[in-house]
């Protein structure tokens, strides 16, 4: 039986974000500025509210302690969070901060900021929520919520895993936080304040990030610091040699909110008892998937989902996660590609096929025959590699976004749930009738054959491995 996820408390400054997204293919006649037309408007929680929403979307009970008032933006945010996270409010002086982005596709052109409200004071209910928390994320956006609760947060850091996502306009983390998660720019700013003799940034950023992390561990008395590096991943330091956690794939898309996705995932896993290295690795994967699958746009569409764990339990077939991945990409206007096979002893032919399939669209979901299905197709001696290991190897490929295992002889059932735009098969099927083709075409999908590297096959590899070594070859 799978244990229930540990509840998470998020403390910080909520924002309200608006996007006005359209097309920009010409300049205005009266000024050299883009003309945005066909605009679509959407609103979503931002700041600490976004971090709380993302953690709740993982199926986790989440309580958000934040400052809200009687203004229109505060009322809108309450409506957006209703039924999704539990709210504990502290009073707000002024109106809730909101941001409006004008975008052409995923490219921001302009941002309008409104509201300068700040948290006025702590409340007994907010302090009680912190005292009772078993896992805490502080999403500090410099508007006072963390500051008015600073004393009670400092006490909590000694008994519960506490992750602090800092902001240059806010204060430093309290002493003893389990993990602080500044961006590279934030780390440079904070380290410069802590060390007047800080060296200038280096060209590749990694040495600077490592130096800054060490300086912040000393200055903040933090147990660890993970400097987020955008598309390069994150650099985790406990004060000595840092650990670089690279992204599993190049994420092209809107990065707005990726830092919140990172911090929320790390805090949730630390609350569950994970090691810091495990939590940071999962957080990098989650942030990458968040950007790839639509980022802020998918949150506004209400299709956010939990990240794929680093290693799914063997009894899970991955269908639910694959369906969520397809839904997010589809909601963001992307193309869903699926490919299938046994993938027993992954070889260069498999990798070439999967890489080509991923280039066709915006996500690749791999449908894998179960062990029983492989035996029916290939014989009693197969598979050579059990499904749980085949899935783990496939998930490790940069080009693969999700993996689903099916037990039938053909993948029609999972295809009906995924409804991909493209079903990709190797070119060796060119003269074969594919039973799934009518199904894929029934919802407007397309079956696409891709080149297959000649001479590569698991059967051939198995035969070669079984051959006796040449005379004198063994020692």
């Amino acid at each position: 039986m799978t244990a229930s996820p540990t509840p998470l408390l998020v403390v910080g400054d909520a924002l309200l974000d608006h996007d006005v997204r359209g097309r920009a293919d010409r300049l205005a006649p009266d000024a050299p500025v883009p003309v945005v037309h066909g605009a679509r408007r959407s609103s979503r929680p931002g700041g600490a509210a976004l971090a709380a929403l993302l953690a709740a979307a993982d199926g986790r009970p989440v309580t958000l302690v934040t400052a809200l008032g009687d203004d229109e933006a505060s009322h809108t945010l309450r409506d957006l969070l209703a039924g999704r996270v539990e709210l504990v409010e502290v009073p707000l002086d002024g109106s809730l901060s909101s941001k409006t982005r004008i975008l052409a596709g995923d490219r921001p052109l302009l941002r309008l900021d409104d509201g300068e409200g700040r948290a006025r004071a702590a409340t007994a209910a907010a302090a009680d929520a912190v005292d009772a928390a078993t896992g805490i994320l502080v999403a500090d956006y410099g508007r006072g919520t963390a500051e008015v609760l600073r004393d009670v947060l400092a006490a909590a850091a000694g008994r519960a895993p506490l992750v602090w996502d800092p902001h240059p306009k806010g204060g430093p983390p309290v002493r003893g936080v389990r993990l602080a998660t500044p961006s590279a720019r934030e780390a440079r700013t904070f380290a410069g304040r802590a060390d007047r003799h800080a060296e200038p940034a280096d060209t590749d950023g990694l040495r600077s990030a490592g130096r800054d992390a060490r300086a912040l561990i000393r200055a903040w008395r933090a147990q660890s610091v993970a400097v987020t590096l955008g598309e390069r991943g994150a650099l985790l330091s406990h004060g000595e040699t840092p650990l670089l956690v690279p992204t599993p794939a190049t994420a092209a898309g809107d990065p707005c909110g990726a830092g919140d996705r990172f911090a929320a995932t790390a805090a949730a896993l630390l609350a569950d008892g994970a090691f810091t290295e495990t939590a940071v690795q999962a957080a990098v994967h989650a942030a990458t998937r968040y950007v790839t699958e639509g980022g802020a746009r998918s949150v506004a569409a209400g299709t956010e989902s939990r990240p794929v764990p680093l290693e799914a339990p063997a009894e899970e077939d991955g269908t639910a996660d694959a369906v969520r991945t397809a839904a997010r990409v589809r909601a963001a206007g992307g193309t869903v590609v699926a490919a299938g096979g046994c993938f027993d002893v992954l070889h260069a032919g498999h990798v070439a096929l999967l890489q080509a399939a991923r280039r066709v669209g915006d996500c690749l979901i791999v449908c894998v025959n179960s062990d029983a299905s492989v035996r029916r197709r290939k014989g009693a001696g197969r598979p050579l590699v059990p499904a749980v290991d085949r899935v783990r190897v496939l998930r490790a490929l940069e080009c693969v976004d999700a993996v689903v295992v099916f037990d039938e002889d053909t993948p029609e059932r999972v295809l009906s749930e995924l409804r991909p735009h493209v079903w990709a098969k190797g070119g060796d099927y060119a003269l074969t009738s594919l039973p799934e083709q009518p199904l894929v075409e029934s919802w407007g999908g397309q079956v696409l054959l891709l080149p297959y590297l000649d001479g590569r096959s698991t059967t051939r590899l198995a035969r070669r491995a079984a051959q006796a070594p040449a005379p004198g070859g063994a020692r």
Side-chain angles (χ1 to χ4, degrees):
M1 181 178 294
T2 302
S4 299
T6 306
L8 182 68
L9 180 74
V10 179
V11 177
D13 308 300
L15 312 173
L16 180 63
D17 289 346
H18 309 283
D19 282 348
V20 179
R21 193 184 303 269
R23 301 186 306 278
D25 47 26
R26 63 187 178 90
L27 297 178
D30 53 343
V33 296
V35 175
V36 178
H37 56 98
R40 301 180 304 280
R41 292 164 174 80
S42 60
S43 299
R44 68 182 185 281
L50 175 59
L53 183 65
L54 292 169
D58 296 347
R60 182 179 301 272
V62 175
T63 299
L64 171 63
V65 176
T66 193
L68 294 174
D70 196 29
D71 56 289
E72 181 180 353
S74 292
H75 290 304
T76 299
L77 185 62
R78 289 188 185 97
D79 291 340
L80 289 172
L81 295 175
R84 305 166 90 173
V85 302
E86 180 181 348
L87 273 175
V88 176
E89 299 182 18
V90 300
L92 178 73
D93 281 336
S95 58
L96 184 71
S97 297
S98 63
K99 301 182 299 180
T100 301
R101 299 189 305 164
I102 313 297
L103 302 103
D106 284 330
R107 183 167 58 90
L109 302 178
L110 179 69
R111 197 180 94 179
L112 309 175
D113 288 5
D114 294 295
E116 296 293 337
R118 291 188 60 84
R120 183 192 314 148
T123 64
D128 289 345
V130 175
D131 285 339
T134 53
I136 303 171
L137 166 63
V138 176
D140 185 7
Y141 276 77
R143 290 165 174 83
T145 303
E147 202 57 39
V148 300
L149 289 163
R150 189 170 188 83
D151 290 344
V152 69
L153 287 169
R159 58 168 180 78
L162 193 156
V163 174
W164 195 293
D165 193 13
H167 191 284
K169 292 184 178 180
V174 298
R175 180 180 297 186
V177 297
R178 180 74 59 84
L179 177 68
T181 61
S183 68
R185 181 177 296 179
E186 291 165 347
R188 183 96 292 257
T189 299
F190 282 118
R193 293 177 189 171
D195 183 1
R196 295 182 181 179
H197 303 290
E199 300 176 43
D202 57 279
T203 55
D204 69 6
L206 292 179
R207 288 199 308 278
S208 288
R211 271 197 313 267
D212 295 341
R214 288 195 300 273
L216 295 179
I217 287 173
R218 293 192 300 268
W220 291 343
R221 305 287 182 87
Q223 295 185 35
S224 57
V225 170
V227 179
T228 56
L229 304 171
E231 62 184 16
R232 301 184 70 177
L235 196 73
L236 173 64
S237 175
H238 298 288
E240 300 298 333
T241 304
L243 170 70
L244 177 63
V245 181
T247 57
T250 301
D254 182 3
C256 180
D260 297 299
R261 175 73 273 187
F262 178 93
T265 301
L269 290 178
L270 289 175
D272 288 342
F275 291 114
T276 304
E277 289 80 2
T278 302
V280 169
Q281 187 175 358
V284 168
H285 284 226
T288 303
R289 287 173 58 84
Y290 171 85
V291 174
T292 301
E293 296 174 2
R297 186 193 302 187
S298 66
V299 173
T303 56
E304 66 279 352
S305 66
R306 67 178 176 87
V308 173
L310 293 181
E311 182 178 359
E315 66 271 14
E316 292 187 4
D317 65 10
T319 300
D321 178 73
V323 169
R324 282 189 289 264
T325 297
R328 292 189 65 170
V329 172
R330 192 177 289 109
T335 298
V336 178
V337 182
C342 299
F343 299 102
D344 191 12
V345 184
L346 196 71
H347 55 70
H350 293 141
V351 174
L353 172 66
L354 296 175
Q355 288 174 329
R358 181 60 176 83
R359 287 192 291 268
V360 171
D362 300 289
C363 77
L364 173 61
I365 299 170
V366 180
C367 305
V368 180
N369 295 77
S370 70
D371 292 346
S373 178
V374 174
R375 279 192 294 271
R376 290 195 299 270
R377 293 189 58 191
K378 304 290 186 178
R382 301 282 296 276
L384 301 173
V385 178
V388 63
D389 290 344
R390 288 184 280 135
V391 168
R392 185 172 187 179
V393 171
L394 286 166
R395 280 191 176 134
L397 294 179
E398 183 176 312
C399 57
V400 174
D401 297 280
V403 181
V404 56
V405 178
F406 63 94
D407 198 45
E408 300 82 7
D409 292 338
T410 59
E412 279 97 336
R413 176 185 59 82
V414 293
L415 288 175
S416 296
E417 297 187 59
L418 297 172
R419 299 177 70 86
H421 299 93
V422 176
W423 173 239
K425 298 294 291 185
D428 54 346
Y429 284 88
L431 300 179
T432 304
S433 176
L434 295 174
E436 58 268 29
Q437 182 164 349
L439 176 67
V440 174
E441 293 177 348
S442 70
W443 57 74
Q446 177 186 9
V447 175
L448 193 64
L449 296 180
L450 297 171
Y452 197 84
L453 292 182
D454 188 40
R456 277 77 168 183
S457 78
T458 300
T459 301
R460 187 171 299 183
L461 287 172
R463 287 173 180 167
R464 289 180 58 188
Q467 290 176 352
R475 291 179 180 268

